[in-house]
Amino acid sequence: MALSTPFLAIDLERMQANIARVAEAATARGIALRPHAKTHKTIEIGRMQVAAGAHGLTVATVGEAEVFTAAGLDDLFIAYPLWLDAGKAARLSALAARGASISIGVDSVEGVARLVHAGLAGRVSVRVEVDAGHHRSGCAPAAAGEVASAAVRAGVDVEGVFSFPGHSYAPEARERAARDEAEALTAAAASLRAAGIEPMVVSGGSTPSLAASLELDSPVNELRPGVTVFGDAQQWELGSAEPEDIALTCHATVVSHAGGRLVLDAGSKVLGPDRADWASGHGRLLDHPDARIVQLSEHHAVVELPGGSGELPALGTVVRVVPNHVCIAVNMVDELVVYDRGGDSEPAARWRVAARGRNA
C-alpha cells in the first residue's frame, strides 16, 4: 500500500555514498570528522557516521546529547557556548556519570565561571569558540587564550578551539569563509599557546565551506559538517551539493493545477519555512530542476515550471520536493521513511527522529 503524503524519505544508497565520500576526503587529509547530528537527529544515521570513521558526533543541545548517549553514541561535543542553569548542569553531570565524553563550548571568562559554579569542572571538557566572521557567538581569536587560561586555573580541561563559519551560507562566499576560519583558528591556537596551553583540537567547518576547508593549509584538525549527509536546496543553489547527491526529499502529491501551476499537499509544516534572501524559491523538485516553489502555506506548496518544461505532472502524481533547509524539515516529522534506492516503491525501513524537539 502506498504511503499517504506528505512524508520525508531517505534514499539510503545516496546517503551512504555521501557519508563515505566525506569520510574518505577527511581521512585523506588526516582530518577528523565530528558530523553535526542536529541535521538528522536519528540514531541509525549517527551509527553509520561513526562506523564510517567519525570520531564522535556534534550536537546542538543537552537534550540531543541525552538522546545519543542513551543509544551508546556518547562521544559528543555541544557546539555552542552553554549558559548553564541548575537543570542543564544536573543533566550534564548525569551524562558524565554514565561515562559519556562530553565537551561544550565557552566564549567568555564568565561562561567558564558559570560552569565551575555548577560543579562541572573535571566532568566535562571545554573548547573555546572564536568568531571567524559569522558574528554570532565566539570571542575574538586573540582573546581565546584568556578564556582558556581561566578554565585551566579552575581545573577545567581545555581541548582546544572551534568556530562556525556560518557566513559561508551565501553565494560566492564558501572559499572566503573557509579562509576566514583558517585565519581565525590559527590566531586562536596561537593565543592558547602563548598562554601555555596546547590546543589538541582545532575544529571548524560548515557544509558550504567543507570542500574549501579540506584544501587549505591550516591548523584545522577536525571538521563538523552537518547537511552533507542529505544535501538540500540551499546546498544545491550554493554549489556544495549536486542534485544526484541529495538523499532526503519530501514526497508530496499534486492536488491541483489551479492557475496553470502545481499545488502540492506539503507546506511549511513539513518542509520548514526557511528561505534565505538569495534563494530562488521555497524549495525545489528533484526531478524537475527548473521548477521552483513560489508560494508556501502551512499545508500546501505552489510550484511554477517555466515555459518549455513540458506538461504539468498529472493530478495525483507524487513528486520529490527538496526542502530549502533540511535540518528544519527533519525536526518537523516523527519518522524518516527509508528506501534502498530513490525509485523503490516499498520502503526498507522507518527510522524514528529520536532527538526531534530536544531543543534545550
Side-chain angles (χ1 to χ4, degrees), residues 36-46 49 60-61 63-64 67-68 229-230 327-328 330-333 336 351-359:
H36 210 316
K38 76 177 178 67
T39 297
H40 57 74
K41 293 177 172 280
T42 303
I43 301 304
E44 290 84 352
I45 299 174
Q49 291 173 318
T61 67
E64 289 183 355
V67 169
F68 284 100
V229 70
F230 292 143
C327 306
I328 302 299
V330 168
N331 198 46
M332 296 281 188
V333 300
L336 303 173
W351 292 340
R352 185 169 69 92
V353 183
R356 182 191 180 197
R358 299 300 297 269
N359 298 319

Side-chain angles (χ1 to χ4, degrees), residues 21-351:
R21 182 177 61 254
V22 174
E24 289 164 5
T27 298
R29 293 299 306 273
I31 293 175
L33 274 182
R34 188 176 288 273
H36 210 316
K38 76 177 178 67
T39 297
H40 57 74
K41 293 177 172 280
T42 303
I43 301 304
E44 290 84 352
I45 299 174
R47 287 177 176 150
M48 288 181 182
Q49 291 173 318
V50 171
H55 289 223
L57 299 175
T58 303
V59 294
T61 67
V62 177
E64 289 183 355
E66 289 169 328
V67 169
F68 284 100
T69 294
L73 295 163
D74 57 3
D75 185 344
L76 301 171
F77 169 45
I78 305 174
Y80 77 104
L82 287 172
W83 188 256
L84 292 166
D85 58 26
K88 284 190 175 73
R91 291 160 63 196
L92 285 172
S93 291
L95 291 177
R98 293 180 58 177
S101 174
I102 303 292
S103 56
I104 68 174
V106 293
D107 70 353
S108 66
V109 172
E110 293 83 0
V112 171
R114 186 83 174 182
L115 181 152
V116 174
H117 180 72
L120 289 172
R123 312 205 74 184
V124 301
S125 302
V126 299
R127 301 177 178 192
V128 180
E129 182 178 16
V130 298
D131 181 9
H134 184 42
H135 305 319
R136 188 176 64 182
S137 52
C139 65
E146 178 187 358
V147 177
S149 293
V152 170
R153 287 194 301 270
V156 179
D157 178 51
V158 177
E159 292 184 346
V161 294
F162 78 102
S163 66
F164 170 60
H167 55 309
S168 62
Y169 278 81
E172 309 301 325
R174 294 179 293 156
E175 289 79 9
R176 174 174 56 83
R179 290 194 301 270
D180 289 346
E181 179 177 66
E183 291 173 4
L185 288 173
T186 297
S191 179
L192 261 67
R193 291 189 179 103
I197 302 166
E198 182 61 28
M200 302 305 295
V201 177
V202 181
S203 178
S206 68
T207 291
S209 63
L210 177 65
S213 294
L214 286 168
E215 294 302 317
L216 289 174
D217 181 15
S218 84
V220 171
N221 59 18
E222 179 187 273
L223 290 169
R224 310 184 316 276
V227 181
T228 52
V229 70
F230 292 143
D232 60 17
Q234 288 188 142
Q235 305 304 328
W236 187 353
E237 297 204 356
L238 290 171
S240 46
E242 299 298 327
E244 57 268 24
D245 300 328
I246 292 171
L248 184 144
T249 55
C250 174
H251 287 206
T253 299
V254 179
V255 297
S256 175
H257 285 164
R261 303 183 294 186
L262 300 182
V263 181
L264 310 178
D265 65 351
S268 64
K269 285 190 172 178
V270 65
L271 298 174
D274 277 19
R275 180 180 180 179
D277 57 8
W278 45 263
S280 63
H282 294 278
R284 302 180 69 165
L285 302 190
L286 187 59
D287 302 305
H288 301 273
D290 294 330
R292 295 294 187 278
I293 297 176
V294 297
Q295 183 178 322
L296 194 66
S297 304
E298 289 183 68
H299 295 287
H300 297 89
V302 178
V303 182
E304 285 187 352
L305 280 77
S309 295
E311 295 184 5
L312 297 178
L315 295 176
T317 300
V318 175
V319 297
R320 296 189 290 176
V321 182
V322 183
N324 271 345
H325 187 178
V326 71
C327 306
I328 302 299
V330 168
N331 198 46
M332 296 281 188
V333 300
D334 293 321
E335 67 174 14
L336 303 173
V337 179
V338 183
Y339 293 90
D340 284 333
R341 293 175 177 79
D344 288 354
S345 58
E346 294 297 325
R350 297 188 186 195
W351 292 340

